[in-house]
Amino acid sequence: MSQPLAGLSAIVTGAGRGLGRAEALELARLGASVVVNDFGQPGRDGSGEASAAPAEEVAAEIRAAGGQAIAHLGDVADHEQARALVQSATDTYGKLDILVNNAGILRDRMIFSMTEDEWDSVIRVHLKGHFNTTHFASVHWRARAKETGGPVYGRIVNTSSEAFLAGSAGQPNYAAAKGGIVGLTTSSALALGKYGVTANAICPRARTRMTEDVFAGFNEPGAGELDPLAPEHVAPLVGYLAGPAAGKVNGQLLVVHGGMVAVVERPRVAAKFDTSKDVFSYEELEGLLSPYYEERPANETFAASEVLGLKKG
């Protein structure tokens, strides 16, 4: 079996279940040594016996298959725990090569019903969590590049969402966080490229514990069929972006699900208006912009809702 990630080490956050678990297993299958991060703690099974934390179970699964993995149970939204996560990779494997940011939570609510805590908690885990790990990984890569006097191997794969692209009405906190992650990704791509590091973002669609209510009854698989929304459809793209073959893929946003990958184009300028004077007036703007928007399709916004209709075939 080809192992393009042999000799490389990786961190996958939120990897105790669902999408992160599938990604961690795929990176290990491709040869990477993995730090499996998840905030889940040890608990009790149905008989009352102590059970391992989800991250520890995934790490054990990787080791049982012949791979290398350790578990980290920290909260990536906590700055110091994120530092410890990156340190655990460098202490265990000597270096960090791949960072997959996946950890997240949902607190769905319409904007007029959302509480401050529902807003803050989602922004904290998704956006701050992505920043924290990226910050400490970038410090590591920059120091290594200065030490060696040349580029190092570094890959960042961040997790955005179609909720950001399409403007999910019931998820203002989640959509905002995921949009922020795209900005963080493109900024990181430009800042770290000279050190040999790439940063890309994916918008995955997967049926997991976090999204089971969102996708309930949607695209359900037939008997004996792989779920079109199984995380296993997403993990191979993460493996590719983490690998050496993706060295020229940087600052990109890709939608992935159900046997399909779509490259999202960057925003383009649709129209431009110049003032005939030194400064625009209200009246001049009204005369220019109002006729323009009269001709635009009703309810067309910056959101790209057509991405929700993408499918294989």
Side-chain angles (χ1 to χ4, degrees):
M1 181 182 67
S2 173
Q3 291 200 312
L5 305 186
L8 302 177
S9 65
I11 288 172
V12 183
T13 72
R17 299 181 178 90
L19 198 53
R21 173 183 174 274
E23 292 166 349
L25 292 175
E26 177 69 2
L27 294 185
R29 188 187 71 82
L30 295 174
S33 301
V34 184
V35 180
V36 180
N37 162 266
D38 197 89
F39 196 38
Q41 300 299 313
R44 299 278 173 182
D45 62 21
S47 65
E49 294 294 318
S51 62
E56 292 172 334
E57 293 177 345
V58 175
E61 187 176 352
I62 291 171
R63 293 193 297 269
Q68 295 188 64
I70 62 168
H72 179 274
L73 307 184
D75 176 9
V76 294
D78 181 284
H79 203 59
E80 289 307 311
Q81 291 184 54
R83 183 201 302 272
L85 170 59
V86 173
Q87 189 71 47
S88 71
T90 59
D91 286 350
T92 304
Y93 303 123
K95 60 186 173 62
L96 173 66
D97 302 294
I98 300 159
L99 171 63
V100 180
N101 283 310
N102 169 76
I105 60 172
L106 287 180
R107 298 290 184 271
D108 292 353
R109 192 91 60 182
M110 299 296 283
I111 188 64
F112 42 78
S113 302
M114 184 162 288
T115 67
E116 182 181 16
D117 181 66
E118 288 166 342
W119 173 271
D120 287 348
S121 59
V122 168
I123 297 296
R124 176 182 179 273
V125 174
H126 287 274
L127 187 52
K128 187 183 178 188
H130 272 62
F131 160 73
N132 284 344
T133 54
T134 300
H135 167 72
F136 291 113
S138 68
V139 168
H140 169 69
W141 287 320
R142 182 170 178 262
R144 278 175 54 200
K146 288 191 168 186
E147 207 174 276
T148 61
V152 299
Y153 189 100
R155 298 285 188 268
I156 301 170
V157 183
N158 288 333
T159 306
S160 183
S161 171
E162 292 170 296
F164 147 68
L165 288 171
S168 181
Q171 298 179 303
N173 48 3
Y174 185 70
K178 292 306 190 181
I181 285 167
V182 173
L184 172 65
T185 303
T186 54
S187 175
S188 300
L190 290 173
L192 301 177
K194 64 183 178 181
Y195 302 118
V197 179
T198 66
N200 295 287
I202 63 171
C203 294
R205 191 186 300 180
R207 202 187 319 272
T208 66
R209 191 180 64 153
M210 190 177 85
T211 63
E212 59 187 355
D213 292 336
V214 176
F215 293 128
F218 179 80
N219 243 9
E220 296 281 358
E225 295 179 348
L226 177 65
D227 187 346
L229 297 183
E232 287 75 14
H233 288 297
V234 176
L237 177 61
V238 173
Y240 167 75
L241 292 173
K248 292 187 177 180
V249 184
N250 194 26
Q252 301 298 306
L253 179 65
L254 302 99
V255 176
V256 54
H257 58 80
M260 179 219 73
V261 173
V263 177
V264 179
E265 184 63 279
R266 65 181 177 84
R268 303 264 180 194
V269 176
K272 176 179 173 288
F273 303 93
D274 297 321
T275 180
S276 60
K277 307 177 180 63
D278 291 332
V279 179
F280 274 117
S281 65
Y282 175 93
E283 291 76 15
E284 188 180 17
L285 288 169
E286 181 182 20
L288 292 170
L289 292 177
S290 293
Y292 173 74
Y293 280 106
E294 283 289 338
E295 297 299 319
R296 292 283 292 271
N299 299 320
E300 182 180 88
T301 72
F302 188 75
S305 57
E306 63 270 19
V307 300
L308 299 179
L310 291 172
K311 61 182 180 179
K312 181 184 176 183

